[in-house]
Amino acid sequence: MRVQSPSMRERTKNVLATFSERSSPHSRNQRTAALKGPLTMSAPSKPSQRLKIALAPGDGIGPEIMDAALALFKEAGVHNHVDFVPTEMGRVVFDKGNTRGITDESVRIVEDCGVVFKGPMETPKGGGGKSVNVTLRKLFSTYANFRVFKTLPGVQTVYSKAGINLDFSIVRENIEDTYGGVEHRLSNDMIQCKRLISAPGCDQIHRFTFHTARKLGIKKVFCGHKANIMKMTDGLFLDRFKAAAKDFPEIEIGDVIVDALCMNLVIKPQQYQMIVLPNLQGDIVSDLAAGLVGGLGFAPSANIGKNISIFEAVHGTAPDIAGKGLANPTALILSGLMMLRHIGLLKQAATIENALLSALESGLHTGDFGDPALPGYTKEPANTNQFVRGIVEKLGEKPKTVTPAEVPEQSTPTFETSPRPEGQTMIRTFVNIVSHVVGCDIYLDSPLSPPAVAEEMMRASQDTPFKLSLISNRGTQVWPTGSVYTECVDYYRVRFELREGNLPGTIGQSRAVALMDKIAEKFTICSYELLRIFDGVRGYSMAQGQ
Ligand code: NAP
């Protein structure tokens, strides 16, 4: 049986033990409260303040693993403090024709509870239905997706076999990026997805990351990005990372291009403790990370916002095993432990965690994992219910091969919901910036050749303050210079900039709109972007090859 090194054991404990301190501003008194009261789980805790948690079992394997997790929580006394309030979201709502995937009543329940325990939900394929998982994160501004990846006893991986313990977390920005889902068909052949990255959105996620790192005693935080290519969007994400780091001088920072990060994670994952990433990159990299610690069955996550937080496993509905009672509920249980700590139920969380670790190290396993070297390993895997019963039997025990979680003598919920705001909040980073119009990019649906488009554009703009400065196709300049080998599609960007003698600030937006109107007499205009300078700095990218 493999025993973890003390330093790794200590860090493993810390990640789970301190998460709630970071995430719940209301857990300040919990530590003191935890030092009083009876020692054993069996002592009935007197129901005190009862807390409401919105419950969404989900689709596919969701209801099975949620039932299992709740049965375990009930045995550990969680239900003495918490009422789980059922909500309607996911497939059942889509099937009624609601393309948002959540009812108005459920939105209100979530807003009132402030905490959601959620199973995976299916995203309808095709049609208008968007992912309700993404909708929930965005609707309730849970801007930080915190995902923990650590080696667990009994879960064999390439690294555990090599004696390498992994223990790191990924903070994924949860609202912005291509997950805005702003997509349009622009021509016969071109479809666009807008990538939105805002300065306050970056600031929120980076401050969350550094605060969490500080609480967990993490010494170095990496920012993953692709700022070498997406100089403005990922460039902003990286710049704001460096700006936020200034308030956390004790934490070293590093940045890594996301493709190199993927390679590093496979070759030497133990070099990372915490990585913050934009939404899409964070989504992809965190599934890779789940693979390093044994698969999606072991990856918990917390979606943390200022007022509302959602706790769910990283995995989806696993339709291939849904309804068979075979699913591994570990990731959902671990997500639930994050939730219990978030609301202040530290004793219950530590007790369940110890029981889970004890069960895993004894060899208990579902079909997706297992270590035949362990004493209680059986060739026939446990089904979901048997697995949870095995954990329940271990309640009150402590693991022997990994550091147990510290069990406080008593704990009661300390989470309080914030007062309901009267309207949406505006979040700002840069307020006093002076911007001036210096041109516009107009996007055309046209099958003409670049020289033919150029001729038409020069004619349209001849009596305006703007001159045609470039034409690009799929981001590559094709006029005035370029290569005849550049293949073009039926969608062009034509860029107009102020003619000499027209100073920034002297020409307003309406002149650019008038130019667009003129071009619209002959061409289909797909979209239009103003070119502006902000405090004298160019607010738009150059074309490839410009
Ligand atoms: P997935 O549901 O995560 O499943 C991928 C595979 O991972 C499954 O086929 C299964 O593999 C294994 N797996 C995942 N969770 C498991 C568990 N708890 N126990 C045992 N095995 C598990 O990914 P997907 O098939 O790409 O997505 C299915 C649906 O879920 C889609 O509609 C997707 O949009 C949605 N989804 C929802 C969420 C969410 O709610 N947050 C997240 C991701 C995806 P085997 O073949 O080995 O059984």
Side-chain angles (χ1 to χ4, degrees):
M1 194 183 306
R2 189 175 40 76
V3 178
Q4 289 183 336
S5 72
S7 60
M8 184 55 72
R9 288 163 60 180
E10 201 50 43
R11 267 205 6 238
T12 301
K13 186 191 87 176
N14 284 344
V15 167
L16 287 175
T18 56
F19 180 75
S20 64
E21 283 181 87
R22 174 209 50 72
S23 56
S24 172
H26 310 292
S27 60
R28 276 194 301 276
N29 301 327
Q30 188 61 41
R31 295 274 162 196
T32 358
L35 297 175
K36 302 167 193 160
L39 250 175
T40 61
M41 273 307 297
S42 52
S45 44
K46 201 172 142 225
S48 54
Q49 177 207 352
R50 290 194 71 79
L51 198 73
K52 285 187 170 30
I53 291 180
L55 185 70
D59 308 318
I61 59 169
E64 304 159 43
I65 56 173
M66 185 59 85
D67 281 351
L70 291 180
L72 173 61
F73 286 9
K74 192 169 185 181
E75 292 291 339
V78 172
H79 292 57
N80 291 339
H81 304 280
V82 175
D83 292 320
F84 289 93
V85 186
T87 59
E88 265 198 316
M89 45 181 107
R91 185 173 187 156
V92 60
V93 180
F94 284 119
D95 285 351
K96 287 181 192 160
N98 177 335
T99 52
R100 191 164 65 153
I102 176 170
T103 60
D104 289 343
E105 195 195 350
S106 296
V107 168
R108 191 58 200 236
I109 292 173
V110 171
E111 289 173 349
D112 289 346
C113 293
V115 178
V116 186
F117 193 27
K118 175 184 165 298
M121 290 183 195
E122 184 184 310
T123 304
K125 293 195 181 77
K130 292 210 169 198
S131 160
V132 67
N133 308 304
V134 177
T135 300
L136 291 174
R137 295 169 197 162
K138 292 163 72 72
L139 202 58
F140 303 120
S141 298
T142 62
Y143 54 80
N145 186 288
F146 184 70
R147 296 178 167 186
V148 178
F149 305 94
K150 64 192 191 81
T151 302
L152 288 170
V155 184
Q156 262 196 340
T157 66
V158 174
Y159 301 95
S160 71
K161 281 189 200 159
I164 298 168
N165 286 293
L166 302 183
D167 185 356
F168 65 98
S169 48
I170 288 180
V171 184
R172 162 188 169 194
E173 196 285 318
N174 225 8
I175 310 274
E176 304 191 339
D177 200 340
T178 46
Y179 282 65
V182 184
E183 298 188 303
H184 294 96
R185 184 166 182 171
L186 301 169
S187 66
N188 285 3
D189 289 337
M190 180 59 79
I191 289 182
Q192 168 187 262
C193 173
K194 276 203 176 172
R195 183 163 196 254
L196 302 168
I197 305 272
S198 77
C202 293
D203 289 347
Q204 281 184 323
I205 191 73
H206 292 316
R207 291 196 65 76
F208 171 91
T209 303
F210 284 113
H211 272 298
T212 307
R214 179 176 276 171
K215 292 272 161 57
L216 299 178
I218 284 173
K219 301 218 164 20
K220 186 164 185 178
V221 173
F222 278 88
C223 176
H225 61 85
K226 194 75 185 171
N228 54 330
I229 303 298
M230 289 170 282
K231 294 182 192 300
M232 295 195 65
T233 44
D234 274 29
L236 178 67
F237 192 78
L238 181 57
D239 282 351
R240 300 313 299 164
F241 172 74
K242 291 175 183 165
K246 292 194 177 121
D247 291 336
F248 302 84
E250 79 280 16
I251 300 172
E252 200 187 332
I253 58 167
D255 74 275
V256 54
I257 293 173
V258 66
D259 35 353
L261 172 64
C262 290
M263 184 188 67
N264 296 346
L265 277 171
V266 172
I267 291 177
K268 200 178 169 199
Q270 64 273 36
Q271 69 185 290
Y272 296 108
Q273 282 184 275
M274 186 176 277
I275 309 156
V276 58
L277 289 143
N279 203 340
L280 176 61
Q281 297 166 23
D283 192 11
I284 296 167
V285 174
S286 55
D287 264 30
L288 186 155
L292 304 178
V293 294
L296 288 168
F298 303 96
S301 85
N303 302 284
I304 305 291
K306 256 198 306 260
N307 303 305
I308 295 171
S309 297
I310 304 168
F311 297 84
E312 62 178 337
V314 169
H315 63 72
T317 58
D320 54 333
I321 52 169
K324 296 180 182 164
L326 302 176
N328 175 4
T330 307
L332 186 66
I333 293 170
L334 290 171
S335 311
L337 296 187
M338 285 176 161
M339 178 182 74
L340 296 182
R341 289 182 162 117
H342 180 72
I343 61 172
L345 290 183
L346 304 184
K347 178 180 177 179
Q348 292 78 355
T351 308
I352 296 166
E353 183 181 329
N354 284 339
L356 171 66
L357 293 172
S358 302
L360 289 176
E361 71 182 9
S362 76
L364 184 68
H365 68 105
T366 46
D368 54 320
F369 76 103
D371 182 351
L374 293 174
Y377 178 88
T378 52
K379 214 166 167 198
E380 185 68 21
N383 63 31
T384 312
N385 288 337
Q386 291 162 339
F387 184 76
V388 156
R389 272 205 300 276
I391 303 171
V392 169
E393 279 166 21
K394 298 279 182 189
L395 283 170
E397 290 188 25
K398 290 189 173 174
K400 296 175 185 67
T401 60
V402 290
T403 308
E406 205 179 307
V407 185
E409 288 178 7
Q410 199 175 36
S411 57
T412 50
T414 50
F415 179 82
E416 285 167 29
T417 49
S418 320
R420 187 179 173 79
E422 281 180 10
Q424 283 95 345
T425 317
M426 178 69 74
I427 50 172
R428 304 284 311 265
T429 294
F430 301 117
V431 183
N432 298 314
I433 301 266
V434 177
S435 69
H436 292 303
V437 174
V438 294
C440 62
D441 278 349
I442 295 174
Y443 294 82
L444 306 176
D445 170 354
S446 171
L448 294 179
S449 69
V453 173
E455 206 180 310
E456 293 282 356
M457 294 302 117
M458 283 190 285
R459 194 173 306 130
S461 59
Q462 62 191 359
D463 298 324
T464 75
F466 302 104
K467 68 171 191 308
L468 181 68
S469 61
L470 78 88
I471 299 176
S472 70
N473 195 288
R474 292 190 286 176
T476 304
Q477 180 169 301
V478 291
W479 184 93
T481 57
S483 165
V484 288
Y485 290 101
T486 304
E487 290 174 325
C488 293
V489 298
D490 60 0
Y491 174 72
Y492 284 99
R493 167 179 55 175
V494 293
R495 172 165 290 177
F496 295 95
E497 290 177 279
L498 289 175
R499 292 182 192 278
E500 275 165 31
N502 291 306
L503 293 176
T506 59
I507 302 291
Q509 180 182 190
S510 56
R511 301 297 294 274
V513 174
L515 170 61
M516 187 169 63
D517 260 0
K518 199 161 175 198
I519 294 171
E521 288 168 10
K522 270 190 135 174
F523 287 84
T524 298
I525 293 181
C526 306
S527 59
Y528 151 85
E529 303 281 355
L530 266 189
L531 302 182
R532 287 193 285 170
I533 51 173
F534 293 80
D535 277 353
V537 178
R538 191 165 38 81
Y540 48 94
S541 63
M542 311 289 276
Q544 201 77 40
Q546 193 181 358

